[in-house]
Amino acid sequence: MTHRKPPNSAKPCPSRSGAPAPGGVKPIKSSSRTRPLPQYDFRSPRLHVTGGLKADAEITLEKSQAHYLRNVLRLKAGDGILAFNGKDGEWQATLGDGKRPVLILEKQTRPQTEPQDLHYLFAPLKHERLDYMVQKAVEMGVSRLQPVLTRHTQVKRVNVERMHANAIEAAEQCGVLSVPEIGEPVTFARALASRKADRLLLFCDETADVKDPVAVLAGAREAPSAMLPLTMSSAGSKAQPLALLIGPEGGFAEEERAALLKLTNVMRLSLGPRILRADTAAVAALALIQTVLGDWR
């Protein structure tokens, strides 16, 4: 797996209790429209594991994980670690002893939460930029990463294992409980053919008639099919599944754009007057979606 740097300057989230925050900044007051900030422990190392998590269980570490904890982080037997597997929440554990140490689970620190149903479809990029994009997509709450081979895609081969390692690293670093699914690369035609019509598809398009992306997303929110809170609407129904599609550096071919516009439940987004690199566009578009339709509200 790809290992992260040890945590250093991370600080706990600001208090919402009403007491003055450090530096004299007044804390945000909680309201019916404002959820409390989750209190993550960013000082303890976090590790993604594959075994089931329950009290008093022992998880055998992979060789690379044991090397990372002992030789990179310099942890010793008895030191604390947070473990998660994407199914059983997050658990406090201690590092055991021995040549192949284990994690000894103690208590659950956070229950498992349902990830937002947000798919990210993208034309593959070169290694370093793809690494960055995967990491940021995980941080932004994406539940599935799907490489799509478009007509102007420059990178045809994708290292899915490398993507998975980067997704795990981002989840470990940023307190994420669920690692996104990662699909094998598919052609543009297959991606459209396999899409379910109830999933709102938003694709970034510099030729969009409406230049204000917030207005477009607000229109989607007001549509009858868009059910707004994260996973459940006020009526108790499941939220609108979402998908974001970003094309290659050369943009969509005209026939690809035409095929997208023929679909139902599709909207196109402009990302402003400047040309953005594909990895920058991913962060910008996901931020907009989370602000208007997602869990930033």
Side-chain angles (χ1 to χ4, degrees):
M1 64 179 285
T2 302
H3 295 305
R4 67 193 188 285
K5 296 179 180 179
N8 42 38
S9 60
K11 296 181 179 180
C13 295
S15 170
R16 286 179 178 264
S17 63
V25 179
K26 187 177 181 180
I28 301 173
K29 292 183 179 180
S30 179
S31 70
S32 60
R33 294 177 57 85
T34 304
R35 291 183 296 274
L37 291 174
Q39 299 296 310
Y40 299 146
D41 177 3
F42 285 115
R43 296 188 180 277
S44 298
R46 295 182 80 241
L47 199 65
H48 178 266
V49 298
T50 56
L53 305 181
K54 60 182 180 179
D56 301 323
E58 293 188 358
I59 303 295
T60 301
L61 296 173
E62 298 176 6
K63 186 176 180 179
S64 60
Q65 292 176 319
H67 170 79
Y68 174 65
L69 294 177
R70 282 183 159 180
N71 301 325
V72 178
L73 295 187
R74 303 290 184 182
L75 298 184
K76 298 178 181 179
D79 285 344
I81 298 167
L82 296 174
F84 69 104
N85 62 1
K87 298 177 293 184
D88 301 319
E90 181 184 78
W91 286 73
Q92 178 67 51
T94 56
L95 182 64
D97 205 349
K99 292 183 178 179
R100 188 76 175 271
V102 297
L103 291 184
I104 304 169
L105 300 181
E106 298 177 350
K107 63 179 181 179
Q108 189 182 65
T109 55
R110 286 193 287 156
Q112 187 66 36
T113 54
E114 190 72 19
Q116 185 176 4
D117 194 356
L118 173 58
H119 293 184
Y120 178 46
L121 290 69
F122 59 93
L125 304 173
K126 294 180 181 179
H127 286 315
E128 293 79 7
R129 292 175 60 197
L130 180 60
D131 292 347
Y132 172 86
M133 188 182 68
V134 168
Q135 293 163 3
K136 300 311 161 189
V138 173
E139 293 176 40
M140 299 295 290
V142 164
S143 61
R144 180 177 175 84
L145 290 157
Q146 179 60 64
V148 177
L149 304 177
T150 67
R151 183 174 182 182
H152 297 312
T153 297
Q154 297 180 8
V155 178
K156 301 296 184 181
R157 300 181 65 181
V158 179
N159 188 332
V160 175
E161 290 185 2
R162 182 182 175 118
M163 286 180 58
H164 186 63
N166 275 289
I168 287 175
E169 181 178 355
E172 289 176 337
Q173 288 181 335
C174 297
V176 177
L177 290 176
S178 299
V179 177
E181 298 177 1
I182 298 177
E184 293 287 341
V186 297
T187 63
F188 179 83
R190 184 177 174 185
L192 295 196
S194 61
R195 169 186 170 261
K196 293 183 179 179
D198 65 340
R199 182 174 297 279
L200 174 61
L201 177 59
L202 303 154
F203 75 98
C204 294
D205 183 11
E206 66 276 8
T207 69
D209 295 329
V210 179
K211 300 303 180 183
D212 182 353
V214 174
V216 172
L217 293 170
R221 188 173 66 184
E222 294 167 3
S225 62
M227 300 187 184
L228 284 187
L230 246 184
T231 55
M232 303 292 286
S233 73
S234 58
S237 302
K238 281 206 124 184
Q240 168 78 65
L242 301 171
L244 170 67
L245 171 62
I246 292 182
E249 294 168 332
F252 293 109
E254 286 303 321
E255 63 269 22
E256 292 171 340
R257 183 178 288 106
L260 285 165
L261 293 175
K262 287 180 182 178
L263 299 174
T264 58
N265 208 17
V266 170
M267 292 184 170
R268 50 181 174 169
L269 296 178
S270 167
L271 294 180
R274 286 166 290 281
I275 300 298
L276 304 179
R277 288 164 52 142
D279 46 348
T280 306
V283 177
L286 288 169
L288 286 166
I289 289 171
Q290 293 290 40
T291 300
V292 183
L293 298 177
D295 56 7
W296 287 15
R297 296 176 297 108

